[in-house]
Amino acid sequence: MVLLSLTRPSKETVDRTCLQAQRRGFCYPHPGESKDFPPIPPSATKHGYAIDHNRVQLGYGKEVYEKAKDALTSWKHFQLGWAEVDSTTEVKKGSPVCVKAKVFFFWTRQPLQIVYVEDQKKKGLSKKIGIETAGGEKCTARFTFGHGCLHSHMLAGEERFAVEMLEEDNSVWYDVAAFSKPAGPLSSVFYPFVRLFQRRFAHCSQKAMKTAMESPTN
């Protein structure tokens, strides 16, 4: 099923979409597999997913990290004009998420659900907690969450967002990783276009986070 409309979906429509999709559940068999990704876990490798991983530096230091974390939890990375998530959507495990995206002349609704949220910080130099990026670099702090596709989404799979402050130089990074594939026959037909939009999202999302770092702190 592809959820389309000629006009931007209202909040009521979005809420109804999420409620119906949550009743049907996830459309892929392994929620949570993006938590330590990349690399993709062996349990998901055999399912033929496309892999995406994009990463950009936002600055240095604790102030930038906290600002990036606030931007992530208020969905600044999804306020793109052509694609958006309601900025009041709560970032907690089990929360519904609806991505509204304009594709040519239509608006689509893509329902998801947050699978996990992790907020890790070292409490002191003497306490080695072992926080690491997915690539194995040691972190002073790392905030991450992942959301997975529900039934009625065009895709099956999961996407993970993270902001990280590296231990080595206090640099702050925005990191996005995902595994996905078409959820049905109709999605397969349009999949080449979907891949183009996924690449566009990666570029625009990075730009939005960098712009958020330049905005004055409230």
Side-chain angles (χ1 to χ4, degrees):
M1 180 186 297
V2 180
L3 303 174
L4 298 174
S5 61
L6 288 171
T7 59
R8 186 189 301 265
S10 66
K11 186 179 187 308
E12 291 74 19
T13 299
V14 165
D15 290 345
R16 185 167 59 252
T17 297
C18 288
L19 180 61
Q20 293 172 347
Q22 281 190 301
R23 287 173 178 167
R24 298 181 64 194
F26 294 105
C27 63
Y28 63 109
H30 27 255
E33 294 278 297
S34 67
K35 184 182 291 187
D36 299 316
F37 168 73
I40 188 171
S43 59
T45 304
K46 62 182 180 180
H47 292 278
Y49 292 104
I51 309 300
D52 293 288
H53 185 208
N54 295 278
R55 184 173 175 84
V56 67
Q57 185 175 346
L58 301 177
Y60 293 89
K62 182 178 178 180
E63 184 177 345
V64 172
Y65 173 79
E66 293 296 338
K67 196 170 184 179
K69 179 181 169 182
D70 288 344
L72 203 62
T73 56
S74 58
W75 299 91
K76 291 289 198 308
H77 58 301
F78 255 109
Q79 306 307 313
L80 308 179
W82 63 273
E84 60 187 44
V85 169
D86 187 337
S87 61
T88 64
T89 300
E90 192 170 3
V91 177
K92 72 173 185 178
K93 183 177 179 179
S95 289
V97 178
C98 186
V99 176
K100 298 180 289 185
K102 191 170 186 180
V103 181
F104 302 116
F105 301 106
F106 298 96
W107 282 90
T108 69
R109 305 188 303 281
Q110 306 296 335
L112 306 103
Q113 181 173 303
I114 294 180
V115 185
Y116 59 84
V117 181
E118 288 191 340
D119 192 359
Q120 300 170 289
K121 284 186 180 180
K122 285 191 174 181
K123 302 299 182 182
L125 294 177
S126 62
K127 297 182 179 180
K128 300 299 182 182
I129 301 176
I131 306 172
E132 294 184 352
T133 70
E137 297 172 281
K138 294 187 181 299
C139 292
T140 303
R142 185 173 191 255
F143 177 81
T144 180
F145 73 90
H147 60 198
C149 300
L150 298 172
H151 283 282
S152 298
H153 198 295
M154 286 188 67
L155 299 177
E158 197 167 287
E159 190 166 34
R160 186 265 295 145
F161 305 96
V163 290
E164 304 161 339
M165 184 163 66
L166 301 189
E167 186 177 287
E168 181 180 13
D169 59 1
N170 286 332
S171 59
V172 178
W173 296 78
Y174 170 54
D175 190 291
V176 184
F179 58 88
S180 64
K181 65 178 181 179
L186 185 59
S187 301
S188 297
V189 171
F190 291 103
Y191 194 54
F193 296 101
V194 173
R195 293 296 290 156
L196 289 175
F197 276 94
Q198 286 179 314
R199 286 190 281 273
R200 183 186 180 192
F201 168 76
H203 172 74
C204 293
S205 181
Q206 289 180 342
K207 185 177 179 180
M209 285 293 284
K210 293 173 75 172
T211 299
M213 296 304 97
E214 298 166 0
S215 302
T217 304
N218 293 332

